[in-house]
Amino acid sequence: MELRRTKAVSHQGSLIDALASVSEAELRDAVVALARPRHMLRQRAENRRAARYVAGALEERGYAVEIEGELGNVVAPPRGPSDRPMILVGAHYDSVPDTPGADDNASGIAAMLACARALARLDPALPVGFVAWNGEEDGLLGSVEFVARRRSQGEAPIAAVHVLEMVGYASREPGSQRMPVPVPGAPEVGDFIGLLTNQRSNHLVELAAKQAEAMVPELPVVGLKVYLGLEGWLPVLHRSDHSPFWRAKIPAMLWTDTAEFRNPNYHRPTDTPETLDYGFMRRVTQLAIATVARQVRAFYDC
């Protein structure tokens, strides 16, 4: 019993250190490096440059990386045993044509890369993989292909997916927040991270909320849980790379600043690095790290 307690205390201390290691400068540097128009067809060269940047950053963090297929998904499997169900953290790296896409979605990639580095500090053998999808802006092509490939090849199952989709814009002005669907009592100030789940993944919202309270209490969290398959009747809930996983009956949670329901620069040339709130992004990243680490412990008693 004492041994287990010592192990838990050690893990908690390591997690606190990992969260503290995330810096605004790290996140800003990644956003700046990626924030150029990089549509998969209209800016093909920049799109490929973005893929190489993400692959190189993951390799620097100690992960083996493969750029998969014609779409160029960047995939970094877990560094631990490959026969265990993995937890996946992902984001898309493409942008809409002719827009720099700082929030959409250089912010998600920056947060994912920081997660990869920080989680490697905890234990290099954690069953956590990372993926950067291409073609999200063209019908979720990359994540659709990713799910289909893994199902056809019979690879290790995916226990849960955390999709980071626009996590860099915040506003503390009254009336700065709208909602994609009517939600009683919904906040009117856009200073929170939104978490979207369906019935198979609603437990992830609860896990993240508990971790926010314990580890990142200054970050407001708003969860939208969908029950009884109602997501099938609301197309607005399928607008990012969590959707192919939902359709494949794999638990997935979308992390989002709610896109155009908050950010006036959505899909515009003004979606530039200087418009983002890197303190907010740091807190979101810290919560993602804490949530994934806690989920790993729950699954594997690591």
Side-chain angles (χ1 to χ4, degrees):
M1 183 65 69
E2 185 62 28
L3 178 62
R4 288 179 60 86
R5 182 178 181 276
T6 301
K7 183 177 179 181
V9 170
S10 175
H11 175 89
Q12 186 77 353
S14 297
L15 178 57
I16 291 171
D17 290 343
L19 300 188
S21 75
V22 179
S23 72
E24 294 182 26
E26 170 187 20
L27 297 167
R28 184 183 293 106
D29 287 348
V31 169
V32 169
L34 286 164
R36 307 178 193 175
R38 54 192 184 281
H39 184 260
M40 61 179 293
L41 298 177
R42 292 275 294 275
Q43 287 90 36
R44 190 182 299 270
E46 282 297 333
N47 182 267
R48 291 175 176 170
R49 185 195 69 85
R52 291 193 299 271
Y53 173 85
V54 176
L58 287 168
E59 288 172 345
E60 288 176 0
R61 288 155 176 78
Y63 295 88
V65 179
E66 180 181 355
I67 298 181
E68 289 187 350
E70 295 183 3
L71 285 171
N73 290 330
V74 181
V75 181
R79 299 196 292 181
S82 60
D83 57 341
R84 296 192 294 181
M86 69 173 166
I87 297 167
L88 192 67
V89 180
H92 75 88
Y93 67 82
D94 59 311
S95 73
V96 296
D98 306 318
T99 67
D103 195 23
D104 187 15
N105 188 33
S107 67
I109 291 291
M112 183 196 76
L113 293 175
C115 285
R117 181 192 52 73
L119 287 168
R121 289 170 59 102
L122 294 179
D123 187 332
L126 289 179
V128 182
F130 301 89
V131 58
W133 296 290
N134 199 11
E136 190 271 351
E137 303 291 359
D138 292 87
L140 315 179
L141 291 177
S143 52
V144 168
E145 180 186 79
F146 179 86
V147 172
R149 176 188 290 258
R150 267 140 193 81
R151 297 185 77 179
S152 66
Q153 294 181 353
E155 297 190 14
I158 299 170
V161 185
H162 297 269
V163 177
L164 305 172
E165 170 66 85
M166 300 184 64
V167 296
Y169 189 89
S171 174
R172 291 156 190 84
E173 294 296 323
S176 58
Q177 182 67 53
R178 297 180 292 120
M179 297 299 284
V181 295
V183 179
E188 297 182 355
V189 176
D191 63 348
F192 61 88
I193 186 65
L195 304 175
L196 172 65
T197 54
N198 66 354
Q199 190 148 335
R200 290 180 182 273
S201 49
N202 284 338
H203 64 286
L204 297 176
V205 169
E206 298 168 7
L207 176 63
K210 289 178 181 177
Q211 288 302 104
E213 183 177 354
M215 307 300 293
V216 198
E218 63 273 25
L219 176 66
V221 174
V222 174
L224 178 58
K225 299 179 182 179
V226 183
Y227 292 94
L228 303 174
L230 290 178
E231 68 270 21
W233 301 91
L234 297 168
V236 70
L237 301 180
H238 287 271
R239 292 174 49 192
S240 190
D241 291 308
H242 64 290
S243 180
F245 295 95
W246 282 7
R247 297 182 190 280
K249 297 181 170 45
I250 297 170
M253 180 162 69
L254 179 69
W255 298 62
T256 180
D257 63 21
T258 74
E260 75 268 33
F261 300 101
R262 177 188 306 177
N263 189 342
N265 305 301
Y266 175 72
H267 283 188
R268 295 183 178 180
T270 52
D271 183 11
T272 55
E274 62 271 17
T275 65
L276 302 189
D277 183 331
Y278 293 96
F280 172 76
M281 195 189 307
R282 178 176 183 262
R283 292 187 288 274
V284 172
T285 304
Q286 290 174 322
L287 179 57
I289 294 164
T291 301
V292 171
R294 183 65 185 88
Q295 191 176 10
V296 168
R297 288 193 67 208
F299 281 178
Y300 302 108
D301 195 27
C302 293

